[in-house]
Amino acid sequence: MTTHHPIAIVGAGLGGLTLARVLHVHGIEAALFDLDDSPTARPQGGMLDLHEESGQAALRAAGLHDRFRALVLPGGQALRILDRDAAVRLEHGDDGQDENGADRGRPEVHRAALRELLLGSLPAGAVRWGAKATGVRSLGDGVHEVALADGSVFTTGLLVGADGAWSKVRPLLSRAVPQYCGLSFAEAHLYEADVRHPASAALVGGGMMFALDEGLGLLAHREPGGTLHVYAALRTGEDWAAGSAPAKEAVLERFAGWDPRLLALIADSDTPLVGRPVHALPVGHRWATAPGVTLIGDAAHLMSPFAGEGANLAMLDGAELAAALVARPGDPRGALVAYEEAMFPRSEAAAAESADNLDLCFGAGAPRTLVERMASYAR
C-alpha cells in the first residue's frame, strides 16, 4: 500500500527541519525525507552568521533560541579585509558590537551544530534517512506522489521542496534551473591552527578574513576547535572545479605573486582541496501558487553566499510557512499564498544583494570597493 502523509518535506536541511520543528511546536506533525543515509553521512559546511531578523527569528518561533545561544562561537563576528600583499585594509573587533557599542546581531554558529539542535528537537524517527526522491508528479486536487530510489512511493496533501539547489520538487512549479555564477571555490581545512599553523591562525584572526584582488580571493573562517576553514575563490570556467579535486599547485599558480602568508592557507591544507562551483537561480525567481506544493530555501531562491542570507532565509521560510499553515487550518491554498507573497520580495532583495556583493568582492578595485561599502554601513 502507498503511504499517505498530510505534510511531506523533501530535504532535512536547516529549512526543512525548521519547518518541521515549528509545526511540531503547534501540534502538527510532518514527515521528512532526506537522501543522506544518516545525519552524519557528509560534512555539513562551515560557520553561519545568524541574523536577528531571519535565522534568529526562526529559532525563536521554534522555541530554540536560548539553546542556540549556547552554540555561538565567542569572537566569531570579527572581520579582517586584506589585499593580496596581506596588508590589512579594514578590521573590526570580536566583541559582537559595532563602534557605537550596538550588538551587530549576527552571532556565528557552526552549521552542523545548528542542524543537530534542530534534529534533536523533533520526535525520534521524524526523518527518514536514505530516502532519495527520484521523481514527483501531481495526482490532481493538490495531491502529489513522490517516488524514492528504493522503489517505494508515497503521496501527500502538501509537498514542500526543501531539497536544495538541484531540487526534484521545483519542476512542479518552475522551469528555472541554477546557473553558474562565474566563480568557483577550492575548499581547504587547517586543523588545530593555533598550535600547528600559528602564522595562519594569526593572519585570519578570531572570525572571518577576506583577502581580495580582481578575480581572485582567499576567504578563511575560524571554527570551533581551532580549525581554519579556507576557500580559494577564482573567476574561472565552470568545469574547473566540477567533479574533481583541484590540485594545490594549480590553485597556487593562479595566485602567483600573492603574499606567502596568504598562500600558506592553501599550501598547508591538512585535507585535499574540494571544488565548489557557485550557482544561483535567477534574481526574482518566483512561480504561480499551485495547490499542495511549494518550495523553501535554496530550492526556491538559490543564491551565492556573498550576502550571508542562504541559511537564514531557508530557516525563515520554514518558520513562516509553518506559521501560515497554523494560522489557516483548513485553507492550505490560502496559507501557500500568504507564505509565497511574503517570501518572493524578501528573497529577491537578498539575491540581488548577493549578486552585487559577488561583483564587489571580485570585480575591478577589490578590496577597496568592499572596504568602502563596509565603511558606508557604519555611517
Side-chain angles (χ1 to χ4, degrees), residues 14-373:
L14 297 180
L17 292 172
T18 302
L19 169 59
R21 166 62 185 182
V22 178
L23 289 172
H24 176 69
V25 167
H26 292 277
I28 301 172
E29 301 307 319
L32 290 97
F33 299 83
D34 196 271
L35 59 83
D36 286 342
D37 289 334
S38 74
T40 58
R42 60 187 173 91
Q44 291 301 309
M47 300 300 292
L48 301 171
D49 56 329
L50 265 267
H51 304 176
E52 176 64 38
E53 70 282 2
S54 49
Q56 291 189 61
L59 288 170
R60 292 183 192 278
L64 298 172
H65 192 267
D66 288 345
R67 280 184 268 176
F68 149 73
R69 295 296 305 182
L71 303 176
V72 168
L73 177 67
Q77 292 186 76
L79 173 68
R80 310 186 89 203
I81 300 176
L82 283 62
D83 60 23
R84 58 181 285 162
D85 299 316
V88 178
R89 304 290 294 273
L90 181 146
E91 184 169 16
H92 69 55
D94 62 357
D95 60 359
Q97 296 181 331
D98 64 19
E99 61 278 2
N100 299 315
D103 190 340
R104 285 196 292 270
R106 296 189 171 190
E108 297 279 340
V109 62
H110 199 279
R111 181 187 290 266
L114 186 57
R115 190 185 192 212
E116 184 177 349
L117 172 65
L118 287 162
L119 276 169
S121 73
L122 294 173
V127 180
R128 177 175 167 185
W129 300 104
K132 180 180 180 180
T134 56
V136 296
R137 65 185 181 119
S138 173
L139 300 181
D141 296 325
V143 177
H144 292 83
E145 180 185 81
V146 179
L148 302 178
D150 64 5
S152 64
V153 298
F154 66 85
T155 61
T156 179
L158 175 58
L159 176 61
V160 181
D163 50 341
W166 310 105
S167 171
K168 292 293 186 181
V169 179
R170 187 192 302 124
L172 290 170
L173 295 166
S174 168
R175 295 181 179 178
V177 295
Q179 299 297 311
Y180 180 57
C181 293
L183 187 80
S184 287
F185 292 139
E187 182 182 20
H189 291 85
L190 281 68
Y191 298 129
E192 302 176 52
D194 294 308
V195 175
R196 300 180 61 247
H197 307 285
S200 292
L203 188 70
V204 172
M208 181 74 181
M209 184 212 73
F210 291 80
L212 302 172
D213 196 15
E214 183 175 355
L216 293 169
L218 289 168
L219 319 178
H221 218 149
R222 182 176 288 269
E223 296 184 350
T227 294
L228 299 182
H229 195 164
V230 180
Y231 292 94
L234 306 88
R235 291 274 203 184
T236 188
E238 183 176 4
D239 292 342
W240 182 84
S244 63
K248 288 184 182 181
E249 295 77 10
V251 175
L252 293 170
E253 183 179 347
R254 298 290 293 267
F255 287 82
W258 282 53
D259 189 282
R261 292 169 291 176
L262 291 168
L263 298 181
L265 294 169
I266 296 298
D268 295 344
S269 174
D270 293 315
T271 58
L273 305 187
V274 177
R276 307 277 189 201
V278 179
H279 292 81
L281 285 165
V283 174
H285 175 240
R286 59 183 63 202
W287 56 87
T289 300
V293 60
T294 193
L295 306 171
I296 66 174
D298 286 351
H301 43 65
L302 178 70
M303 62 191 73
S304 82
F306 293 100
E309 293 286 4
N312 282 282
L313 291 184
M315 294 173 68
L316 185 60
D317 289 350
E320 293 212 336
L321 175 56
L325 291 167
V326 170
R328 295 166 180 80
D331 183 18
R333 183 176 179 85
L336 295 187
V337 169
Y339 157 68
E340 292 170 355
E341 284 184 348
M343 181 269 290
F344 287 143
R346 177 176 67 231
S347 61
E348 180 174 359
E353 180 185 2
S354 177
D356 179 59
N357 286 350
L358 189 155
D359 290 335
L360 195 73
C361 289
F362 300 100
R368 173 185 52 80
T369 47
L370 179 61
V371 170
E372 290 174 351
R373 176 69 60 84

